[in-house]
Amino acid sequence: MKLTVNGEPHEHLGDGSIDGLLGELGANKAHTALMVNGDVIPSAKWKSATLKENDDIEMLVFVGGG
Amino acid sequence: MIKDILKIGDQELGSRLFLGTGKFSSTEAMIEAVKASGTELVTVALRRFNREQAEDDLYGPLAGLENVRLMPNTSGAMNAKEAIRAALLGRELSKSPFVKLEIHPNPHHLLPDPIETYEAAIELVKQDFLVLPYIPADPVLAKRLEDVGCAAVMPLGAAIGTGKGLSTAEMIKIIIRDSNVPVVVDAGLRSPSEAACALEMGCDAVLVNSAIAAAENPSAMGAAFKIGVEAGRAAYNAGLMSTSEVALASSPLTSFLSPND
């Protein structure tokens, strides 16, 4: 499945769940916040949410900031 | 003695020093400075996940600190819509009601956009955030943000990262006089004496990042700011003497060493 992840094209080979995508990308689930097509998806829904072809995903983490 | 607690919304804080986590030379240096400063509220920013820069992820190191709450900022947002989105994302991770609302689209001066900030604040308050907006030292805007439900207001002392101190002091005094929510000086401070000065004026807290992160010894500077903030607050509580245009002696002026005796 073709996705855009953080502005870059990404070929997702998993089951289309957000959990699956995060595992595929090596992200720590507890440290990641995520949007699909501009909507924030709470982590409670990551198992059930199903990604679709051409979805635009933003994955974010906390870094230093004032 | 009654403990001098700062209340923001329903949250109580034992320290009036808030700390930013940017610009530190390492995560370890940042954590040491946070500990030395005694802060109970630190700001963090959001950035795109990058597997090659996993060491920049602060979630783990900060989660290990006791008594420290996180306040995600909305840095990078160019308008209200982006700021709201950033706040929602930040809350997913912080599990905290605090958000530092900052919208400064011009990288040359990083001054806040008051209109976008105001619009974002209205929406974020509706979504149950404790909104702490970073604003120009504008008493009218500060009051409007209080009116729409912001939990505090954070006027700038000087532009971000400049270290030019309380250059807006006169405007901040007006904000303090009129405000019914805590006033936090955010940005511009360079030295603990400036932090002390802000607290003496009646500011409820200060938010400091560059002054500590860019110090030669960030941990020692964190400790110094802690003392500065505590001294300023203690002085405010003690009540400063009034000023006078004429000299008023503090010792008796009666002559008793006159050579004519």
Side-chain angles (χ1 to χ4, degrees):
Chain A
M1 183 191 303
K2 285 189 175 55
L3 303 171
T4 301
V5 178
N6 287 349
E8 302 286 334
H10 176 77
E11 183 68 33
H12 174 55
L13 304 171
D15 61 0
S17 71
I18 291 170
D19 266 359
L21 176 67
L22 292 178
E24 188 174 75
L25 292 168
N28 183 328
K29 282 189 264 181
H31 297 193
T32 308
L34 185 137
M35 274 189 307
V36 178
N37 301 326
D39 293 325
V40 180
I41 312 291
S43 57
K45 294 186 179 170
W46 288 358
K47 271 193 171 58
S48 55
T50 310
L51 298 167
K52 302 184 305 297
E53 190 82 14
N54 298 323
D55 273 350
D56 186 4
I57 290 132
E58 288 284 336
M59 291 166 54
L60 298 118
V61 294
F62 276 155
V63 295
Chain B
M1 186 183 152
I2 299 166
K3 212 171 170 205
D4 188 22
I5 294 289
L6 170 60
K7 201 160 182 210
I8 297 183
D10 61 350
Q11 300 283 307
E12 294 186 339
L13 296 163
S15 167
R16 293 171 181 272
L17 174 57
F18 306 163
L19 209 66
T21 56
K23 297 186 186 171
F24 283 89
S25 58
S26 69
T27 299
E28 292 71 28
M30 182 273 289
I31 293 291
E32 287 309 309
V34 168
K35 287 180 183 169
S37 74
T39 187
E40 296 183 7
L41 189 64
V42 302
T43 61
V44 284
L46 283 166
R47 197 179 68 192
R48 281 175 164 174
F49 165 77
N50 182 337
R51 197 178 354 197
E52 272 70 56
Q53 294 174 327
E55 73 280 3
D56 292 344
D57 181 348
L58 292 187
Y59 185 94
L62 290 171
L65 293 171
E66 274 180 41
N67 218 21
V68 171
R69 275 159 274 186
L70 300 183
M71 177 159 68
N73 68 30
T74 62
S75 179
M78 307 295 274
N79 53 47
K81 191 178 169 191
E82 290 178 9
I84 292 163
R85 215 176 254 168
L88 291 168
L89 284 161
R91 186 162 65 179
E92 283 297 304
L93 289 175
S94 70
K95 315 293 183 206
S96 139
F98 292 107
V99 62
K100 174 180 167 179
L101 172 59
E102 56 177 310
I103 305 175
H104 40 73
N106 188 326
H108 298 300
H109 52 58
L110 299 175
L111 293 172
D113 181 325
I115 296 164
E116 297 293 328
T117 301
Y118 180 76
E119 289 179 0
I122 291 171
E123 181 58 29
L124 291 172
V125 168
K126 280 185 198 158
Q127 302 214 27
D128 297 324
F129 281 91
L130 290 178
V131 182
L132 286 79
Y134 166 62
I135 57 170
D138 176 348
V140 178
L141 177 65
K143 201 65 191 165
R144 293 289 297 267
L145 288 163
E146 175 188 323
D147 289 345
V148 298
C150 286
V153 289
M154 302 208 292
L156 58 86
I160 294 172
T162 59
K164 294 198 171 178
L166 288 167
S167 66
T168 58
E170 294 308 312
M171 292 296 119
I172 290 175
K173 285 179 190 168
I174 298 172
I175 294 174
I176 293 167
R177 195 188 63 204
D178 292 350
S179 184
N180 295 308
V181 293
V183 178
V184 182
V185 170
D186 177 11
L189 300 188
R190 176 169 177 263
S191 65
S193 60
E194 290 163 355
C197 192
L199 274 288
E200 284 172 8
M201 275 163 50
C203 289
D204 295 278
V206 291
L207 199 167
V208 179
N209 190 159
S210 303
I212 293 174
E216 284 182 28
N217 183 336
S219 169
M221 191 59 83
F225 264 92
K226 177 179 193 284
I227 298 167
V229 166
E230 288 173 355
R233 180 63 181 178
Y236 173 76
N237 285 337
L240 296 161
M241 65 166 276
S242 53
T243 56
S244 167
E245 293 302 316
V246 295
L248 299 166
S250 49
S251 298
L253 296 178
T254 342
S255 330
F256 63 96
L257 297 173
S258 167
N260 300 327
D261 283 347

